[in-house]
Every structure is written in C-alpha cells, then in structure tokens.
Amino acid sequence: MTEPNDWVPAGIDVNQPSAARVYDYFLGGAHNFAVDRALAEQIAAMTPNIGETMRSNRVFLRRAVRYLAGQGVRQFLDIGSGIPTAGNVHEIALAAAPDARVVYVDIDPVAVEHSRAILAGVDGTGVILADMRDVDRVLAEAEKAGLDFSQPVAVLLAGVLHFVPDSDDPGALVAALGAAVVPGSYLLISHATADGQPPEVIEAQRLSGRTGTEIVLRPAAVLTSYFKGFDLVDPGLVFIPQWRPDPSDPVDEHPERVGAYAGVGRKG
C-alpha cells in the first residue's frame, strides 16, 4: 500500500531513511515511512532503551525551556529541531511567555517543510533550512526570522551535536554560537554517550550511519568542554533523567541507561 506523502516536498527520496523521521517515529509521531520504521525497529531490537532515550530527551527539552522562560529568556534558537511533535519548544515557550520568539533550524528539507506547514500562522515562530556547520548563515537567517542578538538568546542543541563528526570540529561550532550571543544568554546541550553503556550501543551507532547522519558518542569531559564561556547551572552536566526532574517524577535508579547527557549553561 502506498503511504500518503503530500507533506513531503518534491525531490525527497522517501526510500532512504531520514534521521528526523526515525526520531519522529520513536516519539510517536505520524511523519515517517516504512523505511524509517524498519530502521528504527532494527535499532530498537539491539538497544531496547533507544525509544526511552529519545522520549527522555524531549521531556528534558520541555523542562529546560520552562526553566529558561522562568529565568526571563524570551528568545529561543532551536538548532537541529527535527519534525515538530506535540509539546515542542514553541508550545512550551509561548505558554510560559506569550511574547517569546522561537526559531527552528534543521538541515532536513522534510523536517523544515513540515515545520513550516505546522507553524503557518503561529505568531512568534520561524523556521530555517540550514546546516548548523554554517554558523554565519544560521545566525543571519535567525536574525531575519526575528531574533535580536543584542538581547539574550537560548541556543538549544538538543540531540544534534552527536550528528556532527569530529572532522567538522563541533567544539568550534558551539564556540562560534556562544560568541554570537550576549551575556545572560543560555546554551543547552543534550548528547549521546558511550559512558556507562553496553557494547551493543556501538553497533546501534553503526546502524545510525544508514540515515546519512551517523551518531558520534562522546564522553562527559568532551561535552563539558563545549560549555566554555558558560557557567553550568545546577545540577551541571548529568544523565538526562537527572536534570531537574519534576518532584512527581519517580526516582530513576539507573539514569545512565538513557545513554545521553544533558546540561544548560548561562553566559556571564
């Protein structure tokens, strides 16, 4: 049976798995195809916690955006945003602060076109098709989309830096983004790691390369270095479930199972 694809822009190969659509599938979204689901299930069979990891990442992002809005942040630059799902950044930010401005950035044309369709008519939002490795373009387009870099901005890098290979120097990319924002701005990072993980995680990493965006697992020391120029807010860089859990959340006795760290820093 042919799946409806009227939300996919012309020229997109729906027979090639997309990292954004695989992520959408794990989050319970509807914007994915059989090829994406097949790869997702293959990865999930080897790493049963992968879906939990991705959902935990989204829950962390929501908690962090609420925290940032509570700190007075009104501008959010979400890089590597993927396909919007329920409870995305703009929904959380605008609910907390109706005057907030959220700009989404992604390299995947499918993710961007669908984001534009969802956000059509939603005040306070913008969507950019850009490669985060071209920081100058990202910043210029974000300014055109309504961000004022003379005022604090929260740069959100949730689950995206592990798609940037070492050859593209992700630390330098983060440093360039950090240099572009004023004191009082924030940097958010969540990132996959091999710290505390079993060997099958490495095989799942190899499978991720089939989407054209292989995951690079990095240790805590490297991720901490990305926050140079920013002061990590409590509780620092921790496994995702440990970052400011809601009081009603059950205590996770094995937070390392999610295989990802999270942290938020403030530029002084």
Side-chain angles (χ1 to χ4, degrees):
M1 183 176 67
T2 302
E3 297 179 86
N5 61 359
D6 54 336
W7 53 274
V8 179
I12 297 300
D13 182 3
V14 298
N15 296 309
Q16 171 70 22
S18 154
R21 296 196 305 261
V22 168
Y23 186 45
D24 175 75
Y25 172 73
F26 277 120
L27 290 175
H31 303 103
N32 50 76
F33 293 103
V35 65
D36 307 303
R37 296 189 288 273
L39 179 57
E41 293 298 337
Q42 189 177 359
I43 294 172
M46 299 175 60
T47 54
N49 290 332
I50 189 70
E52 177 187 353
T53 297
M54 293 185 177
R55 289 186 290 273
S56 293
N57 185 61
R58 182 52 58 115
V59 171
F60 154 68
L61 182 58
R62 292 171 187 158
R63 289 201 305 266
V65 169
R66 280 193 292 268
Y67 166 80
L68 293 168
Q71 299 303 303
V73 176
R74 295 296 179 265
Q75 301 189 104
F76 299 84
L77 180 60
D78 186 358
I79 301 176
S81 52
I83 297 173
T85 56
N88 214 326
V89 171
H90 71 281
E91 294 181 353
I92 304 301
L94 292 172
D99 58 337
R101 180 78 186 169
V102 178
V103 174
Y104 292 112
V105 184
D106 206 276
I107 193 175
D108 187 332
V110 173
V112 168
E113 288 303 314
H114 197 59
S115 298
R116 287 172 175 162
I118 287 177
L119 298 173
V122 179
D123 292 337
T125 64
V127 186
I128 298 168
L129 175 64
D131 187 333
M132 74 163 295
R133 292 170 296 183
D134 188 349
V135 172
D136 289 342
R137 181 184 173 194
V138 168
L139 295 172
E141 293 294 324
E143 195 167 24
K144 290 178 185 177
L147 293 190
D148 178 1
F149 285 97
S150 70
Q151 299 297 317
V153 176
V155 179
L156 313 179
L157 301 173
V160 64
L161 285 174
H162 50 230
F163 292 122
V164 180
D166 290 339
S167 58
D168 285 323
D169 198 350
L173 299 176
V174 177
L177 289 165
V181 297
V182 299
S185 295
Y186 286 81
L187 172 66
L188 174 154
I189 295 174
S190 60
H191 195 296
T193 185
D195 291 358
Q197 301 307 299
E200 56 264 27
V201 169
I202 305 303
E203 180 61 17
Q205 176 193 19
R206 185 188 65 79
L207 281 176
S208 72
R210 288 179 49 197
T211 68
T213 45
E214 183 175 358
I215 293 173
V216 181
L217 307 176
R218 296 187 172 100
V222 171
L223 302 183
T224 299
S225 73
Y226 293 165
F227 285 96
K228 184 177 181 180
F230 290 78
D231 297 319
L232 280 164
V233 302
D234 288 338
L237 184 76
V238 293
F239 288 112
I240 284 178
Q242 297 174 309
W243 199 91
R244 293 177 177 262
D246 293 330
S248 60
D249 290 345
V251 176
D252 191 335
E253 299 292 343
H254 297 282
E256 74 281 355
R257 287 184 304 186
V258 301
Y261 286 113
V264 174
R266 184 183 187 275
K267 186 171 182 178

